[in-house]
Amino acid sequence: MIRWGMVIDLDKCTACQACVVACQIENNIPPPSPEEAAISRSIGWMRMVENIEGEYPHIKAHIMPVPCMQCENPPCVKVCPVGATNKSKEGIVDQVYGRCIGCRYCVNACPYTVKSMNWYKPAWPKEMMNSLNPDVTVRPKGVVEKCLFCSHRIQKAKDRAKAEKREMTPDDYIPACAETCPSKAISFGDLNDKDSTVSKLARSPRAFRLLEELGTEPNVYYLREGA
Amino acid sequence: MEALKPDAGSVRGKNVAKIRDEILYQPILKTGKGFYMVFAFLSLVVLFAAFAYFQQFHKGLGVTGLNSPIFWGIYITNFVFFIGVSHAGTLISAILRISKAEWRRSITRSAEVITVLVLFFGLGNILIDLGRIDRLLIVIAHGRFQSPLLWDVVSLTTYLTASSIYLYLPLIPDIALLRDRMPGGFRKGLYEVLALGWAGTEKQIHYLEKGIGIMAVTCLPIAVSVHTVVSYVFSMTIQPMWHSTIFGPYFVAGAIYSGIAGIIVAMAVLRKVYHLEDYFRAVHFNGSSGSCILLT
């Protein structure tokens, strides 16, 4: 069985935020109004988390892209009262928008704060309305949403493989952020396959995961900077 | 039924007690100007709240000012507060009944009414907090028992049922008194149904006392469990500050504390407005404040 995983090399990452934009376009994430963004209401499945040390001009900035960690042991799945968020067989933490009652318990339980609430009905500028991705549901107001590793692309890859009368391989599918990354900092693939790029990188001495001590077992690995 | 009547005072004669009890019927038989003023004011508050909720329902939870990472705000705070206050009633009156504290008699009724009403306020806050109230029934159809929120649903409905029964049982003889007094009309019929044919016979008193005793003993563990479960909603997550073992006892102690304070406020208001100085006496205020000090 495939276990999807992601490795983000922080040495290669230039913090250009192309992955953020690609994610917003791919997954029909509405751009927030400046007022909403100011009170931290913006929805982002891929976010840039920054840690800036020192005073200008002696400044050192650490910037890392943070998608959903797709934990092996997800705290959000445990607390959902209706099973609207659950763990797929291939290791992706799903969100069923039609089941979600909007209690926001999972959002509170997530230690990475990567889940977002739809505070209002999503809205786009008029010009963008015709360029929404037809493969991805537009979420209604009052439900929680999160990064799904572009799981609609898995379904497409499976359909394509079936049409070509073959099994789907991990190479058939890649999420929008990893596809877009110009410096190839994001690699994506099957963590269960020992020879895959991600699984080799995940075993490198530079690899670490966020808040590992919580025991959530994230499937997203980072490679340490300057090591 | 002696046990369920307000303290008659052994020093005074029976006639004095009868005249004195007359004052207890006044609020039900007569409606003053003050009542209508308070009623009108509170109706305005309710109308405004309904308007505000309609706004939220129409536009989305964004109107509340919640954001990320403050996903739960005043609604959940209110919920915890009201569930806490609700502990006053049933817990206090059950403890006092079991420990046979004789001075309890005049305060148990107000305590039990506070419990049942305030539980509804708490549940209401949970409902208006939901982003998708239209999908509420999914909780029943597809509930996951691994989630602390479902434990909450179960314990709160149990508590609501138990405390409503515990409120109603001791009310039966008093409803019968009102039934006998009412000249007629809709309320007479209502009281006749609610009094369940109470005639005050020895057998009826025996069964009623037994029922109240059973409910008092049942309510105690339920009341303690309810607030422990409310605290589990927070402490079962791995959020810093929430993930703490002290939450259960802390919530229960805090609940009883604020509950007793709620009773004291209610007693003070009832005493002034309905001139019940003979019923809510210094001993009741001393006793309740003593329990508050005990818990600090």
Side-chain angles (χ1 to χ4, degrees), chain A residues 39-41 77 79-81 97 100-105 107-108 119 141, chain B residues 58-59 61-62 65-68 71-72 129 131-132 135 144 147 233 239:
Chain A
I39 53 171
S40 60
R41 287 250 188 95
V77 169
V79 298
C80 181
Y97 307 123
C100 178
I101 59 168
C103 70
R104 309 191 293 297
Y105 199 1
V107 200
N108 275 322
W119 299 107
K141 70 167 188 266
Chain B
H58 184 64
K59 290 185 181 161
L61 267 169
L66 296 169
N67 66 4
S68 166
F71 297 102
W72 281 350
D129 179 66
R132 297 297 301 234
R135 295 182 183 158
R144 276 178 80 252
S147 167
V233 171
Q239 283 306 315

PDB file of all heavy atoms in Angstrom, chain A residues 39-41 77 79-81 97 100-105 107-108 119 141, chain B residues 58-59 61-62 65-68 71-72 129 131-132 135 144 147 233 239:
ATOM      1  N   ILE A  39      -7.248  40.327  10.312  1.00  0.00           N
ATOM      2  CA  ILE A  39      -7.645  39.675  11.558  1.00  0.00           C
ATOM      3  C   ILE A  39      -7.439  38.166  11.448  1.00  0.00           C
ATOM      4  O   ILE A  39      -8.161  37.388  12.057  1.00  0.00           O
ATOM      5  CB  ILE A  39      -9.091  40.034  11.966  1.00  0.00           C
ATOM      6  CG1 ILE A  39     -10.066  39.767  10.817  1.00  0.00           C
ATOM      7  CG2 ILE A  39      -9.189  41.469  12.394  1.00  0.00           C
ATOM      8  CD1 ILE A  39     -11.512  39.906  11.226  1.00  0.00           C
ATOM      9  N   SER A  40      -6.441  37.792  10.680  1.00  0.00           N
ATOM     10  CA  SER A  40      -6.021  36.403  10.445  1.00  0.00           C
ATOM     11  C   SER A  40      -7.184  35.453  10.208  1.00  0.00           C
ATOM     12  O   SER A  40      -7.392  34.475  10.887  1.00  0.00           O
ATOM     13  CB  SER A  40      -5.113  35.883  11.559  1.00  0.00           C
ATOM     14  OG  SER A  40      -5.720  35.893  12.790  1.00  0.00           O
ATOM     15  N   ARG A  41      -7.954  35.792   9.159  1.00  0.00           N
ATOM     16  CA  ARG A  41      -9.050  34.925   8.752  1.00  0.00           C
ATOM     17  C   ARG A  41      -8.769  34.269   7.412  1.00  0.00           C
ATOM     18  O   ARG A  41      -9.597  33.568   6.872  1.00  0.00           O
ATOM     19  CB  ARG A  41     -10.328  35.756   8.590  1.00  0.00           C
ATOM     20  CG  ARG A  41     -10.932  36.213   9.895  1.00  0.00           C
ATOM     21  CD  ARG A  41     -12.230  35.472  10.129  1.00  0.00           C
ATOM     22  NE  ARG A  41     -12.947  35.993  11.265  1.00  0.00           N
ATOM     23  CZ  ARG A  41     -13.900  36.889  11.176  1.00  0.00           C
ATOM     24  NH1 ARG A  41     -14.244  37.381  10.023  1.00  0.00           N
ATOM     25  NH2 ARG A  41     -14.517  37.286  12.254  1.00  0.00           N
ATOM     26  N   VAL A  77      -8.594  13.972  13.623  1.00  0.00           N
ATOM     27  CA  VAL A  77      -9.520  12.878  13.331  1.00  0.00           C
ATOM     28  C   VAL A  77     -10.130  12.338  14.615  1.00  0.00           C
ATOM     29  O   VAL A  77     -11.310  12.005  14.679  1.00  0.00           O
ATOM     30  CB  VAL A  77      -8.781  11.761  12.557  1.00  0.00           C
ATOM     31  CG1 VAL A  77      -9.625  10.508  12.486  1.00  0.00           C
ATOM     32  CG2 VAL A  77      -8.424  12.223  11.168  1.00  0.00           C
ATOM     33  N   VAL A  79     -10.935  13.836  17.380  1.00  0.00           N
ATOM     34  CA  VAL A  79     -11.920  14.628  18.099  1.00  0.00           C
ATOM     35  C   VAL A  79     -13.185  14.901  17.300  1.00  0.00           C
ATOM     36  O   VAL A  79     -14.168  15.376  17.872  1.00  0.00           O
ATOM     37  CB  VAL A  79     -11.322  15.968  18.559  1.00  0.00           C
ATOM     38  CG1 VAL A  79     -10.172  15.734  19.508  1.00  0.00           C
ATOM     39  CG2 VAL A  79     -10.888  16.819  17.396  1.00  0.00           C
ATOM     40  N   CYS A  80     -13.195  14.619  16.001  1.00  0.00           N
ATOM     41  CA  CYS A  80     -14.374  14.969  15.199  1.00  0.00           C
ATOM     42  C   CYS A  80     -15.596  14.199  15.678  1.00  0.00           C
ATOM     43  O   CYS A  80     -15.563  12.968  15.746  1.00  0.00           O
ATOM     44  CB  CYS A  80     -14.136  14.673  13.724  1.00  0.00           C
ATOM     45  SG  CYS A  80     -15.557  15.113  12.713  1.00  0.00           S
ATOM     46  N   PRO A  81     -16.692  14.893  16.040  1.00  0.00           N
ATOM     47  CA  PRO A  81     -17.860  14.182  16.558  1.00  0.00           C
ATOM     48  C   PRO A  81     -18.656  13.445  15.489  1.00  0.00           C
ATOM     49  O   PRO A  81     -19.481  12.594  15.821  1.00  0.00           O
ATOM     50  CB  PRO A  81     -18.696  15.288  17.196  1.00  0.00           C
ATOM     51  CG  PRO A  81     -18.281  16.515  16.500  1.00  0.00           C
ATOM     52  CD  PRO A  81     -16.860  16.340  16.089  1.00  0.00           C
ATOM     53  N   TYR A  97     -16.678  17.648   3.309  1.00  0.00           N
ATOM     54  CA  TYR A  97     -17.341  18.932   3.542  1.00  0.00           C
ATOM     55  C   TYR A  97     -18.828  18.756   3.786  1.00  0.00           C
ATOM     56  O   TYR A  97     -19.435  19.530   4.510  1.00  0.00           O
ATOM     57  CB  TYR A  97     -17.121  19.855   2.337  1.00  0.00           C
ATOM     58  CG  TYR A  97     -15.668  20.006   1.948  1.00  0.00           C
ATOM     59  CD1 TYR A  97     -15.215  19.701   0.674  1.00  0.00           C
ATOM     60  CD2 TYR A  97     -14.742  20.444   2.894  1.00  0.00           C
ATOM     61  CE1 TYR A  97     -13.890  19.835   0.333  1.00  0.00           C
ATOM     62  CE2 TYR A  97     -13.403  20.572   2.555  1.00  0.00           C
ATOM     63  CZ  TYR A  97     -12.989  20.261   1.279  1.00  0.00           C
ATOM     64  OH  TYR A  97     -11.681  20.383   0.948  1.00  0.00           O
ATOM     65  N   CYS A 100     -19.372  17.833   7.589  1.00  0.00           N
ATOM     66  CA  CYS A 100     -18.855  18.726   8.647  1.00  0.00           C
ATOM     67  C   CYS A 100     -19.982  19.593   9.207  1.00  0.00           C
ATOM     68  O   CYS A 100     -20.757  20.195   8.463  1.00  0.00           O
ATOM     69  CB  CYS A 100     -17.768  19.608   8.058  1.00  0.00           C
ATOM     70  SG  CYS A 100     -17.092  20.791   9.205  1.00  0.00           S
ATOM     71  N   ILE A 101     -20.083  19.659  10.553  1.00  0.00           N
ATOM     72  CA  ILE A 101     -21.116  20.496  11.168  1.00  0.00           C
ATOM     73  C   ILE A 101     -20.556  21.842  11.619  1.00  0.00           C
ATOM     74  O   ILE A 101     -21.260  22.637  12.224  1.00  0.00           O
ATOM     75  CB  ILE A 101     -21.784  19.783  12.364  1.00  0.00           C
ATOM     76  CG1 ILE A 101     -20.751  19.418  13.428  1.00  0.00           C
ATOM     77  CG2 ILE A 101     -22.550  18.561  11.904  1.00  0.00           C
ATOM     78  CD1 ILE A 101     -21.371  18.985  14.745  1.00  0.00           C
ATOM     79  N   GLY A 102     -19.289  22.064  11.390  1.00  0.00           N
ATOM     80  CA  GLY A 102     -18.709  23.376  11.715  1.00  0.00           C
ATOM     81  C   GLY A 102     -18.509  23.632  13.195  1.00  0.00           C
ATOM     82  O   GLY A 102     -18.597  24.775  13.634  1.00  0.00           O
ATOM     83  N   CYS A 103     -18.226  22.572  13.982  1.00  0.00           N
ATOM     84  CA  CYS A 103     -18.026  22.795  15.424  1.00  0.00           C
ATOM     85  C   CYS A 103     -16.623  23.296  15.726  1.00  0.00           C
ATOM     86  O   CYS A 103     -16.357  23.755  16.819  1.00  0.00           O
ATOM     87  CB  CYS A 103     -18.323  21.521  16.213  1.00  0.00           C
ATOM     88  SG  CYS A 103     -17.109  20.213  15.977  1.00  0.00           S
ATOM     89  N   ARG A 104     -15.713  23.192  14.784  1.00  0.00           N
ATOM     90  CA  ARG A 104     -14.345  23.707  14.888  1.00  0.00           C
ATOM     91  C   ARG A 104     -13.541  23.042  15.998  1.00  0.00           C
ATOM     92  O   ARG A 104     -12.619  23.611  16.541  1.00  0.00           O
ATOM     93  CB  ARG A 104     -14.368  25.225  15.092  1.00  0.00           C
ATOM     94  CG  ARG A 104     -15.229  25.929  14.075  1.00  0.00           C
ATOM     95  CD  ARG A 104     -15.056  27.389  14.083  1.00  0.00           C
ATOM     96  NE  ARG A 104     -15.519  28.050  15.285  1.00  0.00           N
ATOM     97  CZ  ARG A 104     -16.760  28.066  15.711  1.00  0.00           C
ATOM     98  NH1 ARG A 104     -17.689  27.462  15.000  1.00  0.00           N
ATOM     99  NH2 ARG A 104     -17.090  28.682  16.804  1.00  0.00           N
ATOM    100  N   TYR A 105     -13.897  21.811  16.335  1.00  0.00           N
ATOM    101  CA  TYR A 105     -13.121  21.088  17.336  1.00  0.00           C
ATOM    102  C   TYR A 105     -11.792  20.629  16.728  1.00  0.00           C
ATOM    103  O   TYR A 105     -10.737  20.704  17.361  1.00  0.00           O
ATOM    104  CB  TYR A 105     -13.931  19.890  17.833  1.00  0.00           C
ATOM    105  CG  TYR A 105     -13.480  19.307  19.145  1.00  0.00           C
ATOM    106  CD1 TYR A 105     -12.409  19.849  19.841  1.00  0.00           C
ATOM    107  CD2 TYR A 105     -14.127  18.225  19.696  1.00  0.00           C
ATOM    108  CE1 TYR A 105     -12.002  19.317  21.051  1.00  0.00           C
ATOM    109  CE2 TYR A 105     -13.737  17.695  20.899  1.00  0.00           C
ATOM    110  CZ  TYR A 105     -12.665  18.243  21.574  1.00  0.00           C
ATOM    111  OH  TYR A 105     -12.272  17.711  22.767  1.00  0.00           O
ATOM    112  N   VAL A 107     -10.105  21.982  14.347  1.00  0.00           N
ATOM    113  CA  VAL A 107      -9.212  23.114  14.134  1.00  0.00           C
ATOM    114  C   VAL A 107      -8.483  23.438  15.432  1.00  0.00           C
ATOM    115  O   VAL A 107      -7.309  23.787  15.450  1.00  0.00           O
ATOM    116  CB  VAL A 107     -10.024  24.327  13.660  1.00  0.00           C
ATOM    117  CG1 VAL A 107      -9.139  25.309  12.992  1.00  0.00           C
ATOM    118  CG2 VAL A 107     -11.119  23.916  12.734  1.00  0.00           C
ATOM    119  N   ASN A 108      -9.223  23.318  16.545  1.00  0.00           N
ATOM    120  CA  ASN A 108      -8.605  23.568  17.842  1.00  0.00           C
ATOM    121  C   ASN A 108      -7.621  22.472  18.203  1.00  0.00           C
ATOM    122  O   ASN A 108      -6.645  22.720  18.907  1.00  0.00           O
ATOM    123  CB  ASN A 108      -9.687  23.625  18.926  1.00  0.00           C
ATOM    124  CG  ASN A 108     -10.283  24.994  19.033  1.00  0.00           C
ATOM    125  OD1 ASN A 108      -9.577  25.975  18.912  1.00  0.00           O
ATOM    126  ND2 ASN A 108     -11.574  25.065  19.241  1.00  0.00           N
ATOM    127  N   TRP A 119     -15.349  31.212   7.365  1.00  0.00           N
ATOM    128  CA  TRP A 119     -16.146  32.138   8.189  1.00  0.00           C
ATOM    129  C   TRP A 119     -17.292  32.724   7.389  1.00  0.00           C
ATOM    130  O   TRP A 119     -18.347  33.030   7.940  1.00  0.00           O
ATOM    131  CB  TRP A 119     -15.259  33.250   8.728  1.00  0.00           C
ATOM    132  CG  TRP A 119     -14.157  32.743   9.594  1.00  0.00           C
ATOM    133  CD1 TRP A 119     -12.840  32.685   9.282  1.00  0.00           C
ATOM    134  CD2 TRP A 119     -14.270  32.189  10.921  1.00  0.00           C
ATOM    135  NE1 TRP A 119     -12.133  32.151  10.334  1.00  0.00           N
ATOM    136  CE2 TRP A 119     -12.974  31.837  11.344  1.00  0.00           C
ATOM    137  CE3 TRP A 119     -15.332  31.975  11.794  1.00  0.00           C
ATOM    138  CZ2 TRP A 119     -12.715  31.269  12.587  1.00  0.00           C
ATOM    139  CZ3 TRP A 119     -15.077  31.409  13.028  1.00  0.00           C
ATOM    140  CH2 TRP A 119     -13.778  31.074  13.417  1.00  0.00           C
ATOM    141  N   LYS A 141     -20.048  27.983   3.205  1.00  0.00           N
ATOM    142  CA  LYS A 141     -19.679  28.660   4.458  1.00  0.00           C
ATOM    143  C   LYS A 141     -19.947  27.725   5.644  1.00  0.00           C
ATOM    144  O   LYS A 141     -20.790  26.825   5.574  1.00  0.00           O
ATOM    145  CB  LYS A 141     -20.480  29.949   4.625  1.00  0.00           C
ATOM    146  CG  LYS A 141     -21.952  29.757   4.913  1.00  0.00           C
ATOM    147  CD  LYS A 141     -22.604  31.048   5.373  1.00  0.00           C
ATOM    148  CE  LYS A 141     -23.999  30.812   5.839  1.00  0.00           C
ATOM    149  NZ  LYS A 141     -25.027  31.014   4.832  1.00  0.00           N
TER     150      LYS A 141
ATOM    151  N   HIS B  58     -27.267  33.891   8.365  1.00  0.00           N
ATOM    152  CA  HIS B  58     -27.333  34.304   6.969  1.00  0.00           C
ATOM    153  C   HIS B  58     -25.936  34.512   6.375  1.00  0.00           C
ATOM    154  O   HIS B  58     -25.649  34.069   5.274  1.00  0.00           O
ATOM    155  CB  HIS B  58     -28.154  35.584   6.889  1.00  0.00           C
ATOM    156  CG  HIS B  58     -28.369  36.068   5.501  1.00  0.00           C
ATOM    157  ND1 HIS B  58     -29.085  35.344   4.590  1.00  0.00           N
ATOM    158  CD2 HIS B  58     -27.945  37.177   4.864  1.00  0.00           C
ATOM    159  CE1 HIS B  58     -29.093  35.997   3.440  1.00  0.00           C
ATOM    160  NE2 HIS B  58     -28.414  37.110   3.582  1.00  0.00           N
ATOM    161  N   LYS B  59     -25.066  35.191   7.139  1.00  0.00           N
ATOM    162  CA  LYS B  59     -23.778  35.601   6.572  1.00  0.00           C
ATOM    163  C   LYS B  59     -22.661  34.612   6.877  1.00  0.00           C
ATOM    164  O   LYS B  59     -21.652  34.587   6.184  1.00  0.00           O
ATOM    165  CB  LYS B  59     -23.384  36.979   7.122  1.00  0.00           C
ATOM    166  CG  LYS B  59     -24.251  38.076   6.582  1.00  0.00           C
ATOM    167  CD  LYS B  59     -23.745  39.424   7.050  1.00  0.00           C
ATOM    168  CE  LYS B  59     -24.618  40.544   6.531  1.00  0.00           C
ATOM    169  NZ  LYS B  59     -24.418  41.769   7.308  1.00  0.00           N
ATOM    170  N   LEU B  61     -20.325  32.522  10.252  1.00  0.00           N
ATOM    171  CA  LEU B  61     -19.786  32.785  11.589  1.00  0.00           C
ATOM    172  C   LEU B  61     -18.811  33.958  11.611  1.00  0.00           C
ATOM    173  O   LEU B  61     -18.368  34.368  12.673  1.00  0.00           O
ATOM    174  CB  LEU B  61     -19.078  31.531  12.107  1.00  0.00           C
ATOM    175  CG  LEU B  61     -19.936  30.601  12.957  1.00  0.00           C
ATOM    176  CD1 LEU B  61     -19.220  29.290  13.173  1.00  0.00           C
ATOM    177  CD2 LEU B  61     -20.229  31.236  14.301  1.00  0.00           C
ATOM    178  N   GLY B  62     -18.471  34.485  10.425  1.00  0.00           N
ATOM    179  CA  GLY B  62     -17.538  35.599  10.374  1.00  0.00           C
ATOM    180  C   GLY B  62     -17.994  36.808  11.167  1.00  0.00           C
ATOM    181  O   GLY B  62     -17.172  37.567  11.653  1.00  0.00           O
ATOM    182  N   GLY B  65     -16.432  37.721  14.908  1.00  0.00           N
ATOM    183  CA  GLY B  65     -15.120  38.246  15.279  1.00  0.00           C
ATOM    184  C   GLY B  65     -14.151  37.170  15.713  1.00  0.00           C
ATOM    185  O   GLY B  65     -13.059  37.476  16.157  1.00  0.00           O
ATOM    186  N   LEU B  66     -14.545  35.908  15.587  1.00  0.00           N
ATOM    187  CA  LEU B  66     -13.591  34.826  15.838  1.00  0.00           C
ATOM    188  C   LEU B  66     -12.591  34.805  14.693  1.00  0.00           C
ATOM    189  O   LEU B  66     -12.867  35.293  13.609  1.00  0.00           O
ATOM    190  CB  LEU B  66     -14.324  33.478  15.896  1.00  0.00           C
ATOM    191  CG  LEU B  66     -15.321  33.312  17.021  1.00  0.00           C
ATOM    192  CD1 LEU B  66     -16.149  32.066  16.807  1.00  0.00           C
ATOM    193  CD2 LEU B  66     -14.609  33.230  18.345  1.00  0.00           C
ATOM    194  N   ASN B  67     -11.430  34.259  14.943  1.00  0.00           N
ATOM    195  CA  ASN B  67     -10.461  34.136  13.853  1.00  0.00           C
ATOM    196  C   ASN B  67      -9.574  32.938  14.117  1.00  0.00           C
ATOM    197  O   ASN B  67      -9.870  32.095  14.959  1.00  0.00           O
ATOM    198  CB  ASN B  67      -9.665  35.433  13.701  1.00  0.00           C
ATOM    199  CG  ASN B  67      -8.798  35.714  14.899  1.00  0.00           C
ATOM    200  OD1 ASN B  67      -8.717  34.915  15.818  1.00  0.00           O
ATOM    201  ND2 ASN B  67      -8.152  36.843  14.903  1.00  0.00           N
ATOM    202  N   SER B  68      -8.473  32.870  13.387  1.00  0.00           N
ATOM    203  CA  SER B  68      -7.545  31.782  13.577  1.00  0.00           C
ATOM    204  C   SER B  68      -6.367  32.325  14.382  1.00  0.00           C
ATOM    205  O   SER B  68      -5.827  33.355  14.043  1.00  0.00           O
ATOM    206  CB  SER B  68      -7.072  31.311  12.204  1.00  0.00           C
ATOM    207  OG  SER B  68      -5.955  30.482  12.335  1.00  0.00           O
ATOM    208  N   PHE B  71     -10.608  29.925  17.567  1.00  0.00           N
ATOM    209  CA  PHE B  71     -11.764  29.381  16.863  1.00  0.00           C
ATOM    210  C   PHE B  71     -12.982  29.303  17.765  1.00  0.00           C
ATOM    211  O   PHE B  71     -14.106  29.286  17.294  1.00  0.00           O
ATOM    212  CB  PHE B  71     -11.437  28.002  16.310  1.00  0.00           C
ATOM    213  CG  PHE B  71     -10.352  28.014  15.296  1.00  0.00           C
ATOM    214  CD1 PHE B  71      -9.078  27.630  15.604  1.00  0.00           C
ATOM    215  CD2 PHE B  71     -10.623  28.449  14.011  1.00  0.00           C
ATOM    216  CE1 PHE B  71      -8.082  27.648  14.653  1.00  0.00           C
ATOM    217  CE2 PHE B  71      -9.630  28.481  13.055  1.00  0.00           C
ATOM    218  CZ  PHE B  71      -8.357  28.080  13.381  1.00  0.00           C
ATOM    219  N   TRP B  72     -12.746  29.214  19.049  1.00  0.00           N
ATOM    220  CA  TRP B  72     -13.853  29.168  20.000  1.00  0.00           C
ATOM    221  C   TRP B  72     -13.803  30.431  20.829  1.00  0.00           C
ATOM    222  O   TRP B  72     -12.759  30.785  21.359  1.00  0.00           O
ATOM    223  CB  TRP B  72     -13.715  27.959  20.913  1.00  0.00           C
ATOM    224  CG  TRP B  72     -14.153  26.691  20.291  1.00  0.00           C
ATOM    225  CD1 TRP B  72     -14.820  26.544  19.110  1.00  0.00           C
ATOM    226  CD2 TRP B  72     -13.952  25.376  20.803  1.00  0.00           C
ATOM    227  NE1 TRP B  72     -15.048  25.226  18.859  1.00  0.00           N
ATOM    228  CE2 TRP B  72     -14.533  24.499  19.874  1.00  0.00           C
ATOM    229  CE3 TRP B  72     -13.368  24.872  21.951  1.00  0.00           C
ATOM    230  CZ2 TRP B  72     -14.528  23.113  20.071  1.00  0.00           C
ATOM    231  CZ3 TRP B  72     -13.352  23.519  22.138  1.00  0.00           C
ATOM    232  CH2 TRP B  72     -13.929  22.644  21.216  1.00  0.00           C
ATOM    233  N   ASP B 129     -23.184  28.112  18.227  1.00  0.00           N
ATOM    234  CA  ASP B 129     -21.764  28.109  17.885  1.00  0.00           C
ATOM    235  C   ASP B 129     -21.477  27.300  16.622  1.00  0.00           C
ATOM    236  O   ASP B 129     -20.448  27.497  15.988  1.00  0.00           O
ATOM    237  CB  ASP B 129     -20.975  27.536  19.066  1.00  0.00           C
ATOM    238  CG  ASP B 129     -19.487  27.476  18.788  1.00  0.00           C
ATOM    239  OD1 ASP B 129     -18.904  28.553  18.661  1.00  0.00           O
ATOM    240  OD2 ASP B 129     -18.937  26.375  18.689  1.00  0.00           O
ATOM    241  N   GLY B 131     -21.189  25.972  12.923  1.00  0.00           N
ATOM    242  CA  GLY B 131     -21.161  26.625  11.621  1.00  0.00           C
ATOM    243  C   GLY B 131     -22.299  26.148  10.737  1.00  0.00           C
ATOM    244  O   GLY B 131     -22.798  26.881   9.904  1.00  0.00           O
ATOM    245  N   ARG B 132     -22.688  24.885  10.906  1.00  0.00           N
ATOM    246  CA  ARG B 132     -23.750  24.327  10.082  1.00  0.00           C
ATOM    247  C   ARG B 132     -24.810  23.714  10.994  1.00  0.00           C
ATOM    248  O   ARG B 132     -24.865  22.507  11.179  1.00  0.00           O
ATOM    249  CB  ARG B 132     -23.189  23.253   9.141  1.00  0.00           C
ATOM    250  CG  ARG B 132     -22.185  23.768   8.141  1.00  0.00           C
ATOM    251  CD  ARG B 132     -22.783  24.767   7.190  1.00  0.00           C
ATOM    252  NE  ARG B 132     -23.887  24.213   6.444  1.00  0.00           N
ATOM    253  CZ  ARG B 132     -23.978  24.219   5.134  1.00  0.00           C
ATOM    254  NH1 ARG B 132     -23.015  24.749   4.406  1.00  0.00           N
ATOM    255  NH2 ARG B 132     -25.018  23.715   4.535  1.00  0.00           N
ATOM    256  N   ARG B 135     -27.020  20.794   9.897  1.00  0.00           N
ATOM    257  CA  ARG B 135     -26.558  19.400   9.874  1.00  0.00           C
ATOM    258  C   ARG B 135     -26.493  18.823  11.275  1.00  0.00           C
ATOM    259  O   ARG B 135     -25.772  17.843  11.517  1.00  0.00           O
ATOM    260  CB  ARG B 135     -25.173  19.341   9.243  1.00  0.00           C
ATOM    261  CG  ARG B 135     -25.190  19.757   7.800  1.00  0.00           C
ATOM    262  CD  ARG B 135     -23.827  19.631   7.210  1.00  0.00           C
ATOM    263  NE  ARG B 135     -23.822  20.107   5.841  1.00  0.00           N
ATOM    264  CZ  ARG B 135     -22.730  20.510   5.216  1.00  0.00           C
ATOM    265  NH1 ARG B 135     -21.578  20.495   5.845  1.00  0.00           N
ATOM    266  NH2 ARG B 135     -22.801  20.919   3.977  1.00  0.00           N
ATOM    267  N   ARG B 144     -19.601   9.860  16.494  1.00  0.00           N
ATOM    268  CA  ARG B 144     -18.437   9.030  16.783  1.00  0.00           C
ATOM    269  C   ARG B 144     -18.186   9.091  18.282  1.00  0.00           C
ATOM    270  O   ARG B 144     -17.921  10.159  18.819  1.00  0.00           O
ATOM    271  CB  ARG B 144     -17.197   9.585  16.077  1.00  0.00           C
ATOM    272  CG  ARG B 144     -17.008   9.168  14.661  1.00  0.00           C
ATOM    273  CD  ARG B 144     -15.780   9.850  14.109  1.00  0.00           C
ATOM    274  NE  ARG B 144     -14.549   9.180  14.526  1.00  0.00           N
ATOM    275  CZ  ARG B 144     -13.689   9.673  15.410  1.00  0.00           C
ATOM    276  NH1 ARG B 144     -13.912  10.810  15.983  1.00  0.00           N
ATOM    277  NH2 ARG B 144     -12.610   9.001  15.712  1.00  0.00           N
ATOM    278  N   SER B 147     -15.115  10.833  20.105  1.00  0.00           N
ATOM    279  CA  SER B 147     -14.958  12.279  20.245  1.00  0.00           C
ATOM    280  C   SER B 147     -15.519  12.763  21.577  1.00  0.00           C
ATOM    281  O   SER B 147     -16.659  12.454  21.919  1.00  0.00           O
ATOM    282  CB  SER B 147     -15.694  12.978  19.109  1.00  0.00           C
ATOM    283  OG  SER B 147     -15.813  14.339  19.393  1.00  0.00           O
ATOM    284  N   VAL B 233     -13.518  17.976  26.987  1.00  0.00           N
ATOM    285  CA  VAL B 233     -13.542  18.542  25.644  1.00  0.00           C
ATOM    286  C   VAL B 233     -12.264  19.335  25.407  1.00  0.00           C
ATOM    287  O   VAL B 233     -11.691  19.322  24.323  1.00  0.00           O
ATOM    288  CB  VAL B 233     -14.785  19.435  25.462  1.00  0.00           C
ATOM    289  CG1 VAL B 233     -14.717  20.205  24.164  1.00  0.00           C
ATOM    290  CG2 VAL B 233     -16.031  18.602  25.490  1.00  0.00           C
ATOM    291  N   GLN B 239      -3.575  20.664  22.857  1.00  0.00           N
ATOM    292  CA  GLN B 239      -3.220  22.084  22.885  1.00  0.00           C
ATOM    293  C   GLN B 239      -2.497  22.412  24.181  1.00  0.00           C
ATOM    294  O   GLN B 239      -2.898  21.950  25.253  1.00  0.00           O
ATOM    295  CB  GLN B 239      -4.483  22.947  22.804  1.00  0.00           C
ATOM    296  CG  GLN B 239      -5.086  23.042  21.440  1.00  0.00           C
ATOM    297  CD  GLN B 239      -4.103  23.498  20.407  1.00  0.00           C
ATOM    298  OE1 GLN B 239      -3.351  24.434  20.602  1.00  0.00           O
ATOM    299  NE2 GLN B 239      -4.073  22.792  19.282  1.00  0.00           N
TER     300      GLN B 239
END
